[in-house]
Amino acid sequence: RFAAEQGNSIRYFEPGDAGLNPARIRSIHIGMLFNSRERVASADDDRTYMLAGQAISASSSAAASGLTHPADRRYRLAFNNTIKIRNRPDQL
């Protein structure tokens, strides 16, 4: 997904979306959620993580749709970063 600023808010776009104008993209928000290979935690991870402005919640259902992570006993770490695209004018 791509995000573009509109005034004071952010609008998300899917790849190939007809409304996406690459010239208006001034920064890229990246979020990654890492988990341990083994189930070593003492309790299920039912926390909600924020990744690039999106909430990723736990789901106990294997058939869950949307942005979720399994509510299992793995350790997880969330990493977020914003990359500013150089040479973009302040106003388009």
Side-chain angles (χ1 to χ4, degrees):
R1 288 174 46 150
F2 301 97
E5 291 183 26
Q6 289 187 324
N8 290 333
S9 63
I10 296 175
R11 181 173 172 202
Y12 290 95
F13 293 93
E14 297 296 329
D17 191 328
L20 177 63
N21 180 356
R24 295 190 57 86
I25 297 173
R26 293 188 286 192
S27 63
I28 299 170
H29 304 284
I30 298 173
M32 294 179 281
L33 183 61
F34 293 92
N35 61 265
S36 63
R37 292 184 74 167
E38 304 296 326
R39 293 178 174 98
V40 293
S42 59
D44 286 348
D45 181 8
D46 60 354
R47 292 181 289 176
T48 298
Y49 297 92
M50 293 300 291
L51 298 176
Q54 285 288 134
I56 311 296
S57 59
S59 173
S60 58
S61 168
S65 62
L67 298 174
T68 62
H69 70 82
D72 57 14
R73 294 176 181 247
R74 288 186 169 99
Y75 285 119
R76 289 186 173 75
L77 288 173
F79 295 92
N80 290 282
N81 201 351
T82 301
I83 301 167
K84 177 129 173 101
I85 298 175
R86 294 176 52 176
N87 300 325
R88 294 286 185 183
D90 286 337
Q91 299 294 324
L92 292 175

